[in-house]
Amino acid sequence: MHDDRTLVEARLRRVLDERIRPAVYPESVPLQVAVWHAPGEPVPVAEGLAAPAEPIAVGTRWGAPWGTSWFRVTGTVPEAWAGRTVEALLDLGFDENMPGFQCEGLVHRPDGTPVKGLNPRNQWVRIGSPVEGGERVDLRIEAASNPVIMDYHPFVPTPLGDKDTAGVEPQYRLARMDLAVFDETVWQLVLDLEVLGELMAELPVESARRWEILRAVERAIDAVDLQDVGATAAAARERLTEVLARPAAPSAHRISAVGHAHIDSAWLWPLRETVRKVARTAANMTALIDDEPEFVFAMSQAQQWAWVKEHRPEVWARVKKAVAGGRFVPAGGMWVESDTNMPGSEAMARQFVHGKRFFLDEFGIENDEAWLPDTFGFAAGLPQIIRAAGSRRLLTQKISWSRTNTFPHHTFLWEGIDGTRIFTHFPPVDTYNCSMRGGEIAHAARNFREKGAAGRSLAPTGWGDGGGGTTREMVAKAARLRSLEGSATVVWETPQEFFTKAQEEYPDPPVWVGELYLELHRATLTSQAKTKQGNRRSEHLLREAELWAATAAVRNGFPYPSEDLDRIWKTVLLHQFHDILPGSSIAWVHREARATYERIAAELNGIIEAAQRSLAGEGAVPLVFNAAPHARDGVPAGGAGTPAAAREVVPTARPDGGFVLHNGAVRVEIDARGLVVSACDLDTGRETIAPGGAANLLQLHPDLPNMWDAWDVDAFYRNTVTDLVEADEIAVGEDGASVRVVRSFGASRVTQVLSLAPGERRLEIDTEVDWHETEKFLKLAFPLDVHADRYASETQFGHFHRPTHTNTSWEAAKFEACNHRFVHLEEPGWGVAVVNDSTYGHDVTRTVRAADRGTTTTVRVSLLRAPRFPDPETDQGVHRFRHALVPGATIGDAVREGWRINLPERRLTGGHAVAPLVAVAEDAVVVTAVKLADDGSGDVVVRFHESRGGRTAATLTADFEVAAAVATDLLERPLADAPAPHREGDRITLRLRPFELVTLRLKRRS
């Protein structure tokens, strides 16, 4: 037989595009359209419905950037259409290639009842099936003219990312606004041919099945009268019946399809627009659930559910009904799909506390899985947090984006720093926006790495990022793929159903230990520095507010501000979303974030001050409140007292320029360039700075990644570096106890203040940068005389080791990594820590010196970037950072100094010292939270962990009468399988394994 394959395939493409698809709507009449443009921000539905509308013609431009327009669409169904299915086709000016990234709409009835959302892949509204003819049509569309930020040529700087700079030029042209007859037989034929054509393209050319499909498709096209498709569509479908009925092989890969719409809580749109995106998507998905009996939809992010409840009660009623039917499924159990690298210990815990509690309170549903398809890598402390929240499973897809190494598993156990293991699945479909195309389904089956041991995977199905969700076409394709020879099988299932079957099928999967590092988007650890600083500061202010308010509530009846703290926590958690905290959102998002963090700080400082004044009482005794988990300067952790007086460290001149700082513990030399050329630990005589090296060295790199400007830093940035060694000024600081260094470069200026704390091995470096560079990367370098094959960086509830070498491609790919408050390196018996108050990104490299064969290990802190997309003014302006170099530091010192720099002491006068509400005797045990129980019982909740990576015994002493002590999960519920803590009166003793996290609930004796 002659090979006419390409001929038939080309024929299929043209006939589908030019004849069959257009015949889905064979007859149409125009609708009448009027519009009212809201003058500012979106208005309530009732106001939009009642507003006066002016006629607008199809083809007219509409919609200023970020505007809202209310369209009134009216018409009458022709009498001649009686008995047929009729739909309204409402095209606001969509580009079908950009679902979720442009204009959208929510259709209402005149009484305000939501009907469904409109987006580029969902432009229809069912009027009747069948209609009687003569029906009056009256629809109202709340249309958002969100501008396209990332166009076909992506990453081009644009002012459209902020309403303040976007202008008023209309963004869209009103397109089709018609009533049309919907020919379901033709629509079904389209899907038959699409499914078979897509499957055929994935089969080997030598496969008999491919040729069988080809001949069936050819016969079907032969049966179509191209001048009268509707009349011949049924006959064409009959010729495909047999080939569509061939069942899948018993060994076929099994795909659990989960309806999904990954909606970024903010990204290329502001938070307020996400509120509406979620409502549109939820309206669409509840409508699809009503139409499709097998369809199941899962939505994560409790915050988004809360937005629907608060802002769209009519949609919320439909959602609640669908949840009760088991078809609209809460997923993930987190407040938002957060970044997991940068949130601190308590914040990561509270993501699950607030997320799971919302679903429990609203629906009585507890999620068993964490659902994070798009998060940019996963910290090694996360498995323990997931388990402590009562969950056991994790789903993500993003690791498939890694550019250097291919992750070896799709289903596996992920082991965290404390030994906790979580059953984890990466969908091999490699997208969280699966549309049921044959290429996607075939890729999932081919790509699945557990073949022979397991045979099922999950496919999140629906348009996401900007929302939209699953379409009826996706559902129809899935029905044809339930069992089709040559294809993987597809069935709609909930996440819980998938995970249960996957674990039963694969009870002993391989284990991956440590972080799940994404080999991409590394610059998200640095971009938008003020957003990151706001997050870090908010986390520590919340710790202080809870600690002092709880202490004051137990001591003297201070009103514990539980509602305020709950609200603030949720705001902070929202801003940890994986495009806000990472700095990858538009300018509007980060402008609002900065203002939000300022409001949060003011409110929390007010709570802290009120609680501390309540505790201190009246008097003139100078008091220092210490919110850190370690005693310092004679003041106990969690208490207040009068610290011992300390002498200031006065700089002395250095003979060849510069200054010397000496406090009896450390001797630091700062040369005439303002660089630290020596930092000697006087207890051991050990020099910290590598021979010939200089610390406190600012380094500037060009920084134009190949794509994803705010997200990425590519390895080639290191090829070019400028050391900023010229100083405009080096002098004794205004306080007389520090050294001030001023530098200028480009259009920017840096002022640094270096000081030694009295009696402490801690060189403090305060840096102020007035930053006005573009596409540059600023680092702060510390070349250390330390031979170390690995280093520790803090993560949630512990620390994680990374290699300093690049033996393999896996190690080489980690050229930019995350830490929280510290990085620590050590040789046996001696180490160094670099601590910070607000930075996350860093790199660590090692070289061997030719002169003495010693090893120089250089720690570089990432300070600032200047990408131009999606915010063309990223990080322009004044920034302040605090870092400290700690010579001779153990890992315990690194932990303590990290807390110290992030929790500055607070001073006020009062009548007496304040004893800690709870105290832990063992220094390795770090208390991360002291608070009152969320249920309002008045119980005291204490959360703590072993911080050094070793086993330890801990004794917790309460400064109140304890009636009972119970170990709980993060939601403060008793752990059924946990032994009761040993208690003697108000003293509770426990043994902790390395990095073990414990939550204790202490019932107060009445």
Side-chain angles (χ1 to χ4, degrees):
M1 180 183 293
H2 296 296
D3 184 351
D4 61 350
R5 176 176 52 84
T6 57
L7 184 69
V8 176
E9 290 171 355
R11 182 187 180 198
L12 171 62
R13 286 192 296 271
R14 183 172 187 187
V15 168
L16 265 175
D17 287 343
E18 297 183 17
R19 294 293 187 272
I20 302 178
R21 287 194 185 99
V24 171
Y25 293 103
E27 299 179 54
S28 64
V29 296
L31 288 160
Q32 290 76 51
V33 188
V35 67
W36 174 71
H37 302 294
E41 284 294 279
V43 300
V45 171
E47 184 177 342
L49 293 172
E54 299 291 334
I56 183 173
V58 167
T60 302
R61 295 185 67 82
W62 69 278
W66 307 113
T68 300
S69 299
W70 281 85
F71 290 96
R72 182 175 300 172
V73 182
T74 56
T76 302
V77 176
E79 299 284 354
W81 291 358
R84 304 173 78 178
T85 297
V86 175
E87 294 181 344
L89 300 181
L90 308 173
D91 184 347
L92 299 172
F94 297 125
D95 179 340
E96 291 191 6
N97 295 316
M98 291 188 178
F101 293 91
Q102 53 176 287
C103 60
E104 300 171 54
L106 180 57
V107 180
H108 299 78
R109 303 198 188 284
D111 63 0
T113 303
V115 180
K116 68 188 292 287
L118 295 178
N119 62 61
R121 296 298 181 98
N122 214 322
Q123 303 179 20
W124 58 274
V125 174
R126 179 64 57 88
I127 301 301
S129 181
V131 297
E132 295 179 357
E135 291 95 334
R136 182 67 180 161
V137 176
D138 190 350
L139 300 173
R140 315 296 173 87
I141 308 169
E142 180 191 23
S145 50
N146 302 330
V148 176
I149 303 296
M150 192 160 64
D151 213 328
Y152 287 99
H153 186 170
F155 317 122
V156 175
T158 173
L160 292 172
D162 195 328
K163 192 174 182 181
D164 290 348
T165 59
V168 296
E169 184 70 21
Q171 299 293 292
Y172 297 99
R173 191 179 300 277
L174 194 65
R176 187 175 188 181
M177 290 276 164
D178 289 346
L179 280 181
V181 172
F182 175 69
D183 190 325
E184 184 169 359
T185 303
V186 176
W187 181 77
Q188 296 284 5
L189 175 61
V190 169
L191 291 160
D192 289 345
L193 291 171
E194 285 183 351
V195 167
L196 290 170
E198 291 164 4
L199 172 59
M200 180 171 59
E202 298 300 323
L203 296 172
V205 173
E206 63 273 14
S207 162
R209 174 65 169 164
R210 178 164 182 160
W211 288 89
E212 179 185 62
I213 293 172
L214 185 81
R215 293 301 164 218
V217 165
E218 183 178 38
R219 290 192 296 272
I221 296 174
D222 288 342
V224 175
D225 181 345
L226 299 183
Q227 309 307 313
D228 193 358
V229 174
T232 54
R237 293 197 72 205
E238 286 179 9
R239 297 190 179 189
L240 299 173
T241 300
E242 182 180 354
V243 76
L244 282 167
R246 293 282 181 89
S251 60
H253 184 68
R254 299 179 295 282
I255 293 177
S256 297
V258 178
H260 188 48
H262 168 71
I263 303 177
D264 287 310
S265 289
W267 180 26
L268 304 180
W269 46 86
L271 286 167
R272 67 90 153 142
E273 192 54 35
T274 313
V275 175
R276 302 200 295 177
K277 283 177 174 287
V278 175
R280 297 174 198 127
T281 300
N284 260 350
M285 295 304 94
T286 52
L288 193 60
I289 284 170
D290 289 341
D291 293 340
E292 301 290 349
E294 295 185 351
F295 175 61
V296 175
F297 181 77
M299 190 167 88
S300 66
Q301 307 192 72
Q303 170 69 87
Q304 296 188 359
W305 293 69
W307 279 334
V308 177
K309 180 182 179 183
E310 178 183 358
H311 296 282
R312 300 288 185 170
E314 302 88 352
V315 177
W316 179 249
R318 288 164 51 173
V319 167
K320 288 184 68 175
K321 178 183 176 183
V323 172
R327 308 271 304 287
F328 199 115
V329 182
M334 296 176 68
W335 190 247
V336 295
E337 290 181 12
S338 72
D339 181 82
T340 74
N341 286 312
M342 291 177 282
S345 302
E346 272 304 306
M348 201 73 255
R350 304 298 175 97
Q351 286 286 353
F352 288 90
V353 169
H354 287 284
K356 296 194 79 167
R357 187 167 285 143
F358 181 88
F359 293 140
L360 282 165
D361 290 346
E362 295 294 335
F363 308 113
I365 291 174
E366 178 155 11
N367 302 96
D368 203 27
E369 77 290 329
W371 184 275
L372 293 165
D374 192 31
T375 296
F376 309 152
F378 300 89
L382 188 57
Q384 180 174 207
I385 298 171
I386 294 173
R387 182 62 62 85
S391 297
R392 300 177 295 126
R393 299 155 170 170
L394 168 68
L395 178 135
T396 184
Q397 178 272 325
K398 200 67 172 187
I399 301 299
S400 69
W401 284 43
S402 286
R403 289 293 184 264
T404 306
N405 299 283
T406 300
F407 197 80
H409 313 298
H410 281 112
T411 302
F412 60 100
L413 294 176
W414 178 28
E415 182 178 319
I417 56 174
D418 74 312
T420 297
R421 292 179 173 181
I422 296 295
F423 189 85
T424 303
H425 180 66
F426 292 171
V429 70
D430 281 350
T431 178
Y432 48 78
N433 295 326
C434 177
S435 60
M436 285 291 135
R437 289 187 295 107
E440 295 170 333
I441 301 304
H443 175 75
R446 286 194 300 263
N447 190 37
F448 187 58
R449 299 190 181 280
E450 320 308 320
K451 296 183 186 75
R456 67 177 68 245
S457 67
L458 185 146
T461 302
W463 300 115
D465 289 317
T470 318
T471 66
R472 62 182 178 185
E473 288 78 15
M474 296 176 194
V475 176
K477 284 189 171 185
R480 289 160 172 80
L481 297 171
R482 175 178 287 276
S483 180
L484 181 62
E485 184 185 353
S487 171
T489 65
V490 177
V491 62
W492 294 103
E493 291 188 309
T494 67
Q496 183 179 41
E497 289 169 334
F498 162 75
F499 273 111
T500 298
K501 292 177 181 178
Q503 283 189 274
E504 290 174 352
E505 174 187 66
Y506 203 21
D508 190 25
V511 178
W512 181 271
V513 178
E515 68 182 332
L516 295 171
Y517 180 92
L518 178 64
E519 296 170 352
L520 194 72
H521 292 359
R522 302 168 181 89
T524 57
L525 303 172
T526 305
S527 297
Q528 297 287 359
K530 287 186 178 177
T531 299
K532 292 169 171 58
Q533 289 179 323
N535 173 75
R536 179 78 71 86
R537 186 67 180 132
S538 297
E539 290 179 350
H540 288 85
L541 286 171
L542 277 161
R543 170 195 173 81
E544 290 189 85
E546 289 182 338
L547 168 66
W548 301 125
T551 303
V554 173
R555 292 277 164 72
N556 54 32
F558 179 82
Y560 189 76
S562 55
E563 291 185 3
D564 291 334
L565 291 170
D566 179 83
R567 170 178 48 80
I568 295 169
W569 261 119
K570 287 173 179 174
T571 301
V572 172
L573 298 178
L574 166 60
H575 285 78
Q576 291 177 341
F577 178 74
H578 66 252
D579 277 307
I580 303 179
L581 180 54
S584 48
S585 288
I586 56 174
W588 189 348
V589 173
H590 293 290
R591 172 171 56 81
E592 289 191 330
R594 291 191 293 271
T596 298
Y597 285 131
E598 289 178 4
R599 290 194 300 271
I600 286 172
E603 188 170 2
L604 289 173
N605 278 315
I607 293 171
I608 292 164
E609 182 178 359
Q612 289 179 339
R613 292 206 171 278
S614 172
L615 288 164
E618 296 297 326
V621 178
L623 295 174
V624 169
F625 279 78
N626 175 21
H630 308 91
R632 63 187 186 190
D633 303 327
V635 179
T642 303
R647 290 191 312 162
E648 289 185 335
V649 178
V650 179
T652 59
R654 193 166 173 263
D656 53 352
F659 296 90
V660 175
L661 294 169
H662 190 304
N663 67 356
V666 180
R667 183 180 186 275
V668 174
E669 293 190 37
I670 303 164
D671 72 6
R673 302 170 299 173
L675 302 179
V676 176
V677 293
S678 175
C680 185
D681 175 7
L682 298 178
D683 288 345
T684 62
R686 176 72 183 261
E687 176 59 61
T688 306
I689 309 303
N696 190 42
L697 173 63
L698 290 163
Q699 295 183 304
L700 192 66
H701 295 269
D703 183 22
L704 180 66
N706 287 344
M707 57 192 305
W708 298 108
D709 295 39
W711 296 256
D712 282 359
V713 56
D714 290 331
F716 54 73
Y717 88 93
R718 290 179 171 178
N719 296 350
T720 306
V721 60
T722 301
D723 292 342
L724 304 179
V725 297
E726 299 296 327
D728 300 344
E729 175 189 339
I730 174 169
V732 174
E734 293 179 2
D735 60 359
S738 61
V739 176
R740 182 173 181 267
V741 181
V742 180
R743 306 183 195 280
S744 299
F745 60 95
S748 302
R749 180 181 174 90
V750 176
T751 301
Q752 291 184 300
V753 176
L754 289 75
S755 58
L756 271 185
E760 300 283 349
R761 291 179 309 197
R762 181 175 69 251
L763 173 64
E764 298 180 355
I765 304 170
D766 291 358
T767 303
E768 178 181 289
V769 187
D770 189 3
W771 180 246
H772 297 284
E773 304 307 302
T774 299
E775 295 170 349
K776 296 291 192 294
F777 196 2
L778 184 64
K779 292 261 188 176
L780 181 62
F782 299 87
L784 307 173
D785 190 12
V786 177
H787 177 84
D789 292 332
R790 65 177 191 170
Y791 71 97
S793 58
E794 189 185 30
T795 188
Q796 293 96 1
F797 298 111
H799 58 266
F800 174 68
H801 286 100
R802 297 187 184 94
T804 60
H805 58 76
T806 55
N807 281 359
T808 71
S809 58
W810 293 88
E811 292 140 0
K814 294 184 180 183
F815 59 83
E816 185 78 5
C818 182
N819 66 282
H820 287 184
R821 286 169 288 232
F822 69 80
V823 168
H824 179 259
L825 301 94
E826 67 178 340
E827 298 173 0
W830 196 85
V832 185
V834 177
V835 301
N836 72 84
D837 78 335
S838 59
T839 55
Y840 296 92
H842 71 275
D843 67 86
V844 177
T845 56
R846 66 196 296 270
T847 60
V848 174
R849 303 184 294 270
D852 63 355
R853 289 183 293 171
T855 301
T856 297
T857 305
T858 301
V859 176
R860 297 200 309 161
V861 177
S862 302
L863 295 182
L864 290 165
R865 299 183 68 236
R868 301 185 65 213
F869 183 88
D871 176 3
E873 299 295 321
T874 300
D875 278 333
Q876 300 300 298
V878 177
H879 303 268
R880 294 178 177 87
F881 308 96
R882 295 183 68 219
H883 294 86
L885 177 68
V886 189
T890 64
I891 192 69
D893 294 330
V895 173
R896 182 177 60 254
E897 295 298 340
W899 278 101
R900 177 193 285 266
I901 201 170
N902 281 272
L903 284 168
E905 59 190 24
R906 292 177 181 263
R907 295 177 178 268
L908 67 155
T909 58
H912 51 78
V914 178
L917 187 63
V918 295
V920 178
E922 172 52 54
D923 203 43
V925 176
V926 169
V927 175
T928 60
V930 177
K931 59 189 287 293
L932 296 191
D934 290 343
D935 62 6
S937 64
D939 293 353
V940 175
V941 173
V942 186
R943 188 150 34 247
F944 51 92
H945 70 284
E946 195 287 321
S947 68
R948 300 180 185 176
R951 297 180 182 274
T952 190
T955 299
L956 182 147
T957 302
D959 194 41
F960 56 89
E961 292 190 62
V962 177
V966 179
T968 73
D969 65 7
L970 294 179
L971 277 71
E972 301 168 10
R973 302 173 298 190
L975 293 171
D977 56 350
H982 177 70
R983 182 172 68 90
E984 294 180 1
D986 303 330
R987 293 166 56 87
I988 299 99
T989 304
L990 309 93
R991 296 197 65 83
L992 279 70
R993 68 178 184 272
F995 300 128
E996 183 177 2
L997 164 63
V998 176
T999 304
L1000 283 185
R1001 182 169 180 148
L1002 309 179
K1003 183 175 180 58
R1004 294 152 57 193
R1005 195 177 301 279
S1006 57

